[in-house]
Amino acid sequence: MKVFISFLQLYLLTLLLAFNISTVKAEEQIFEPSDEISISLLTCQPGKEVYSLYGHTALRFHNKTKGIDLAINYGIFSFQQPFFTLRFIFGLTDYQMGIEPFQNFCMQYAYRERGIYEQILRLTEKEKATIAAAIMHNYQPENRVYRYNYFDNNCTTKARDMIADNLDADINYNHTTSAQTYTYRKLTHLYTENDRWTRFGNDLLLGLPADYPITNRQQQFIPEFLQNDFEKATLKNSENHRLVTQSHWVIPPFDNTANKPEAILPIHVLTLLSLLNLMFLFLEIKKKSRFQAYDFITMLLTGIPGIVLFMMIFSQHPTVSLNLQILLFNPLSLIWAYTAIRPSKRKLFIRYTRVWTAFLCLFVIGAYFQQYAEGILLLALSLLIRQSYHIFKDRYPINE
């Protein structure tokens, strides 16, 4: 039933959007100096879906004289795009700008239990005209699609730039030097406290650059941060006016505090795997042997994620190409895994074991520079202990 309702809403939205845009085109222009116009920044409350955990930003263009009330949305995408996952991994995902009736925009977010906060901006008639022209130019078919980047070029930064780039005065966000220093990783953690597996996946893909301190402007990729900055911002002109004249909730915020974290967290699973490594080591010491099948499985399971991390080296995302976790999840393990179960290849296996152990040592050292995914360091330490023991035993065999 919910699927049918969602489909019906989408169908009606398409009809209304087509009618509204045709009305705007029939007007030939959506702005005249005599019109009563307001332009607002819309900040939408975070949702429950993975892609909505951080909230959303849009613009509102309201021409009361002509009865035009539009939401300008830079966050339109489709999972049906060819090779969507691969394109996303390599930073080749395309988003596009969309325009829809403001009331329909509100209906969608009310249905999803996500509040909308509106900040009406202080703009001159000239600035309103410039922004209106920029919006219509941006909405042309050849202009509306853009190359999405989660941190640098997303729906929030596009909305911010549409405003900031078309003002006669620069914006002073009045940041204080005592403001907290954030990294991209810390900011993503703020919104994934109750979605620890999502956080785990993010941290597994994010590399060392995600732990560098970022500027206040870079922090504005998060909708709530841009909202807060706009609230206290002033315009750098002789009057030093505030950027926001009025602010209020169009749709009251919903209580999302009832969302509870998952019962089984990544740290639980990684701790269990670490204990499993140490248990097998204890059994190997007791039996005075090495479980070759366990080595084979371990190399496969650590090598498969390494393929993804290796692919990320060629991604256009700026924070994923240098990821020290590839020292643990090493794709080379897949190539050498067969040597673990081939007695004739024992020397090759021992050589790779030494190489991998060196990688694990570097991985542990790298924890001082990069924050790893939850529980990963614990897993690496257990593997390092087991590998180190067997290397020592192979080098200094004990005569029975």
Side-chain angles (χ1 to χ4, degrees):
M1 186 64 181
K2 288 185 177 180
V3 174
F4 173 75
I5 293 174
S6 299
F7 175 79
L8 182 60
Q9 286 182 332
L10 181 61
Y11 177 73
L12 292 175
L13 173 61
T14 303
L15 290 178
L16 288 171
L17 179 57
F19 173 77
N20 194 87
I21 297 302
S22 64
T23 301
V24 172
K25 288 183 177 179
E27 296 284 351
E28 294 185 353
Q29 59 179 5
I30 61 176
F31 178 88
E32 290 181 0
S34 60
D35 293 343
E36 186 179 355
I37 287 178
S38 65
I39 297 178
S40 311
L41 184 77
L42 303 175
T43 304
C44 306
Q45 192 178 10
K48 300 176 182 178
E49 301 86 357
V50 172
Y51 61 85
S52 65
L53 291 175
Y54 308 96
H56 182 55
T57 301
L59 297 175
R60 181 185 184 184
F61 181 91
H62 191 191
N63 187 328
K64 298 179 182 178
T65 304
K66 290 187 170 69
I68 298 173
D69 198 359
L70 304 173
I72 294 88
N73 183 1
Y74 287 92
I76 297 177
F77 69 97
S78 173
F79 287 116
Q80 303 304 318
Q81 293 180 19
F83 307 107
F84 180 87
T85 303
L86 283 177
R87 291 177 64 88
F88 188 85
I89 288 175
F90 286 106
L92 301 175
T93 309
D94 289 331
Y95 276 42
Q96 63 177 308
M97 170 197 184
I99 298 179
E100 60 184 298
F102 178 67
Q103 291 304 318
N104 290 82
F105 183 82
C106 292
M107 286 172 56
Q108 294 176 64
Y109 280 86
Y111 176 75
R112 297 169 185 166
E113 297 186 349
R114 299 173 62 184
I116 299 178
Y117 190 76
E118 179 179 20
Q119 294 168 294
I120 301 176
L121 307 178
R122 183 190 301 276
L123 303 171
T124 65
E125 296 298 313
K126 178 185 175 183
E127 289 169 336
K128 292 176 184 178
T130 303
I131 293 174
I135 289 173
M136 297 311 295
H137 175 75
N138 200 181
Y139 191 65
Q140 297 302 313
E142 64 272 18
N143 300 327
R144 69 180 65 165
V145 177
Y146 70 97
R147 182 54 48 85
Y148 177 85
N149 183 286
Y150 181 71
F151 293 131
D152 296 333
N153 199 33
N154 66 2
C155 59
T156 301
T157 62
K158 294 290 284 187
R160 176 200 63 194
D161 294 343
M162 176 59 72
I163 299 299
D165 293 347
N166 292 289
L167 297 180
D168 292 331
D170 293 332
I171 300 177
N172 183 356
Y173 293 107
N174 298 304
H175 294 128
T176 59
T177 55
S178 60
Q180 182 175 353
T181 300
Y182 284 106
T183 65
Y184 282 130
R185 195 186 306 275
K186 284 183 180 180
L187 284 181
T188 61
H189 283 189
L190 291 178
Y191 296 86
T192 53
E193 184 60 37
N194 293 333
D195 296 89
R196 299 285 280 278
W197 283 104
T198 298
R199 175 187 292 186
F200 179 83
N202 288 341
D203 285 342
L204 196 60
L205 295 179
L206 290 175
L208 180 60
D211 294 304
Y212 298 157
I214 58 177
T215 65
N216 294 108
R217 180 178 173 80
Q218 289 175 310
Q219 295 171 22
Q220 291 175 351
F221 81 96
I222 295 288
E224 186 180 6
F225 277 66
L226 181 63
Q227 171 195 320
N228 294 335
D229 281 353
F230 264 44
E231 197 69 36
K232 60 188 178 184
T234 55
L235 297 172
K236 295 180 181 178
N237 51 30
S238 56
E239 289 83 12
N240 205 37
H241 287 307
R242 294 180 62 87
L243 176 62
V244 175
T245 59
Q246 298 179 41
S247 54
H248 61 281
W249 286 97
V250 178
I251 297 178
F254 290 83
D255 183 9
N256 294 328
T257 57
N259 296 338
K260 296 181 180 179
E262 300 94 336
I264 301 178
L265 301 178
I267 188 63
H268 299 154
V269 175
L270 272 297
T271 299
L272 183 62
L273 291 176
S274 302
L275 292 175
L276 187 65
N277 283 328
L278 296 178
M279 182 190 73
F280 269 93
L281 174 60
F282 174 78
L283 293 175
E284 287 170 329
I285 294 174
K286 187 175 181 179
K287 292 182 177 293
K288 300 176 182 178
S289 64
R290 182 166 187 162
F291 298 152
Q292 297 177 347
Y294 187 72
D295 283 318
F296 177 76
I297 294 174
T298 300
M299 293 172 74
L300 283 182
L301 294 181
T302 56
I304 292 174
I307 296 177
V308 178
L309 297 185
F310 178 76
M311 292 172 62
M312 299 301 281
I313 294 175
F314 307 98
S315 174
Q316 292 188 14
H317 290 298
T319 57
V320 300
S321 57
L322 178 59
N323 191 338
L324 300 182
Q325 290 171 115
I326 200 172
L327 296 169
L328 167 62
F329 298 110
N330 196 323
L332 293 177
S333 294
L334 292 176
I335 301 175
W336 298 96
Y338 81 100
T339 63
I341 53 177
R342 295 283 297 275
S344 61
K345 303 294 182 180
R346 177 175 173 77
K347 289 185 177 180
L348 286 177
F349 173 71
I350 294 300
R351 289 176 186 173
Y352 180 72
T353 299
R354 291 171 179 171
V355 171
W356 193 26
T357 301
F359 284 153
L360 290 174
C361 291
L362 292 175
F363 176 86
V364 173
I365 296 172
Y368 288 98
F369 305 97
Q370 177 179 330
Q371 183 175 349
Y372 297 143
E374 181 179 352
I376 291 296
L377 182 60
L378 193 62
L379 176 65
L381 287 172
S382 68
L383 287 171
L384 180 59
I385 292 172
R386 181 171 179 268
Q387 301 288 64
S388 299
Y389 169 78
H390 284 296
I391 289 176
F392 180 82
K393 183 180 177 182
D394 289 327
R395 189 174 182 84
Y396 303 103
I398 300 175
N399 296 324
E400 299 298 333

